[in-house]
Amino acid sequence: MSGKRVLLIVGGGIAAYKALELTRLLRKAGVGVRPILTKAGAEFVTPLSLSALAEDKAYTELFSLTDEAEMGHIELSRSADLVVVAPATADLMAKAANGLAGDLASTTLLATDKPVLMAPAMNVRMWEHAATRRNLAQLKADGVLFVGPDEGAMACGEYGSGRMAEPPAIFEAIMAALAGGRPLAGRRAIVTAGPTAEALDPVRVITNRSSGKQGYAIAAALAKLGAEVTLVSGPTALPAPPAVRRVDVESAREMLAACEAALPADIAVCVAAVADWRPSEVSPQKLKKGKDAFLAAGMTFIENPDILAKLSGHAQRPRLVIGFAAETENVEEHARNKLKRKNCDWIVANDVSIQGTMGGDENAVSIVLRRGIERWDRMPKGEVGRRLAARIAEEFQ
Ligand code: C5P
């Protein structure tokens, strides 16, 4: 694993002393360690002992001019293959879960585009507190990896869960994350998501019920596996997933232009529910009420470009082009026809006649390949995203 580098954030807890042993194990394995000590962390171990073992400078202050001159905090946050937080205190977890950036450690966690591994360490009551449970769930949803905590006797005299994992276990988790965590590293992916909105006049649009949840989950999962993801999104209420470049668009034609601008790419996943038609004209003034308002404005409907078909037939065609087929009947048959007609590699078919699929949190899909079909059970959309990303990664092994 020589040549790899870890950014090690040491939080303020009695377990901070174990960060020294962890640093020693990593250096012995040829992994570079660049330490960041929080203010509280520096109460438990000194920057001097940490930097001596790490053979690198220990960074401590966000607003230090000398530190910024040597390496800006954004550059620092990306200067390693993996960011490790050990010990990850309740405070650091809360900051990271909420995107706070008041010191070097939390700013680094917000600014990094690298995977993050946390080794929590805190008193059992803090670990079991509802706030920490919420933060843990949020961080997991954001793609943060965890090792531990263990159960056992604590420095505070209590017994329970919250003790930081031992350095050899953290070391193993780091090695696993460095080795296999990012099988799509170096691959570029385009994901379309959400509905499109086609303008009728300055205030009205034609749109549909797509929430964007499935497309966002796929974009997040691909990014977690290391892909460089451009998420071309129609109007949704969702926040951009971490480490994903989101391009906001409204109409189908804007969506197509944004996809073409993101080429070349290795993977395209078209999840967006693109409006099939758009008004032939966009009225410059708000249309007045009335039965024949559209006709009076000279409006008919014309077909939108098919983004999936365009990407499949593009001179810079991505190696793997995947479409979605939301159907209410004969799902697999329609999906197979779509695969041929649009010349894509896979169609992810789902039955939207099942109550709660469109706009809901679960999906039951089948993957229709050129040869064969893979049927998956009903599962949360996040899980469909992770499984699809893993399945895509298999194609690139
Ligand atoms: O033909 P249909 O709309 O059912 O095909 C659905 C698939 O095609 C989805 O992957 C969707 O994102 C894509 N599509 C597209 N551009 C369109 C229409 C559909 O990319 N104009």
Side-chain angles (χ1 to χ4, degrees):
M1 214 40 86
S2 64
K4 294 279 183 185
R5 187 186 278 281
V6 158
L7 197 61
L8 176 62
I9 297 177
V10 181
I14 185 65
Y17 77 92
K18 294 185 188 174
L20 298 174
E21 173 65 1
L22 176 63
T23 303
R24 200 186 60 76
L25 290 172
L26 288 167
R27 291 299 300 129
K28 214 170 111 190
V31 177
V33 179
R34 179 162 282 159
I36 292 180
L37 256 179
T38 66
K39 217 167 160 203
E43 301 286 334
F44 292 89
V45 290
T46 70
L48 188 62
S49 39
L50 204 51
S51 66
L53 284 169
E55 298 166 44
D56 200 345
K57 180 187 160 100
Y59 290 78
T60 50
E61 291 293 335
L62 180 55
F63 299 113
S64 151
L65 281 179
T66 6
D67 281 7
E68 279 293 311
E70 268 177 44
M71 187 182 296
H73 59 277
I74 300 288
E75 200 188 330
L76 179 64
S77 73
R78 295 167 184 192
S79 66
D81 302 284
L82 179 72
V83 180
V84 177
V85 191
T89 58
D91 179 64
L92 268 174
M93 284 177 62
K95 282 179 175 144
N98 289 285
L100 297 181
D103 60 9
L104 184 58
S106 53
T107 305
T108 301
L109 287 167
L110 192 62
T112 191
D113 58 356
K114 298 294 173 2
V116 176
L117 172 73
M118 290 192 171
M122 67 198 74
N123 165 274
V124 57
R125 285 176 218 284
M126 291 165 76
W127 176 246
E128 285 171 1
H129 194 283
T132 307
R133 300 279 104 195
R134 277 198 303 276
N135 294 334
L136 178 68
Q138 183 60 56
L139 290 167
K140 282 189 174 168
D142 291 347
V144 173
L145 306 167
F146 281 86
V147 51
D150 293 344
E151 200 178 298
M154 303 194 150
C156 55
E158 288 189 77
Y159 185 93
S161 188
R163 211 170 74 166
M164 189 166 90
E166 292 303 320
I170 304 176
F171 172 77
E172 287 306 327
I174 291 173
M175 296 316 255
L178 286 175
R182 293 167 69 81
L184 289 175
R187 305 285 179 189
R188 288 164 60 103
I190 302 171
V191 179
T192 70
T196 63
E198 310 292 334
L200 283 160
D201 67 19
V203 295
R204 299 185 181 95
V205 292
I206 295 183
T207 187
N208 60 64
R209 294 187 205 275
S210 167
S211 64
K213 282 178 193 165
Q214 187 60 84
Y216 275 56
I218 292 166
L222 287 169
K224 210 176 137 195
L225 295 189
E228 195 185 309
V229 181
T230 302
L231 172 62
V232 183
S233 174
T236 72
L238 302 171
V244 161
R245 186 173 79 94
R246 186 173 79 180
V247 181
D248 289 316
V249 296
E250 284 217 331
S251 69
R253 285 183 298 173
E254 284 170 14
M255 188 171 269
L256 174 61
C259 287
E260 287 180 332
L263 290 170
D266 306 280
I267 303 152
V269 192
C270 294
V271 198
V274 183
D276 290 313
W277 309 278
R278 67 172 182 276
S280 55
E281 322 280 334
V282 180
S283 168
Q285 305 300 336
K286 186 182 170 197
L287 290 166
K288 294 281 171 268
K289 273 186 199 169
K291 194 157 63 88
D292 296 325
F294 299 121
L295 289 177
M299 250 183 220
T300 53
F301 283 91
I302 52 178
E303 238 187 314
N304 262 330
D306 191 308
I307 299 163
L308 174 59
K310 290 257 185 215
L311 290 176
S312 290
H314 203 280
Q316 291 180 295
R317 186 192 197 278
R319 190 171 121 194
L320 189 63
V321 180
I322 303 173
F324 267 65
E327 304 287 351
T328 53
E329 53 175 3
N330 300 335
V331 178
E332 287 173 14
E333 188 192 326
H334 282 132
R336 195 154 289 291
N337 290 338
K338 208 161 284 182
L339 188 77
K340 286 203 195 102
R341 204 171 65 241
K342 304 202 186 199
N343 189 29
C344 51
D345 302 293
W346 304 351
I347 287 279
V348 181
N350 63 335
D351 188 343
V352 287
S353 70
I354 299 169
Q355 195 82 37
T357 297
M358 199 94 178
D361 292 324
E362 290 201 331
N363 213 349
V365 303
S366 300
I367 314 294
V368 179
L369 314 164
R370 284 179 198 241
R371 245 177 255 133
I373 182 161
E374 296 171 17
R375 293 188 186 84
W376 295 359
D377 292 337
R378 190 168 183 78
M379 59 184 91
K381 287 183 177 174
E383 189 57 33
V384 172
R386 281 188 285 278
R387 287 205 31 191
L388 189 66
R391 185 66 188 77
I392 290 170
E394 266 176 40
E395 281 307 290
F396 284 87
Q397 292 293 292

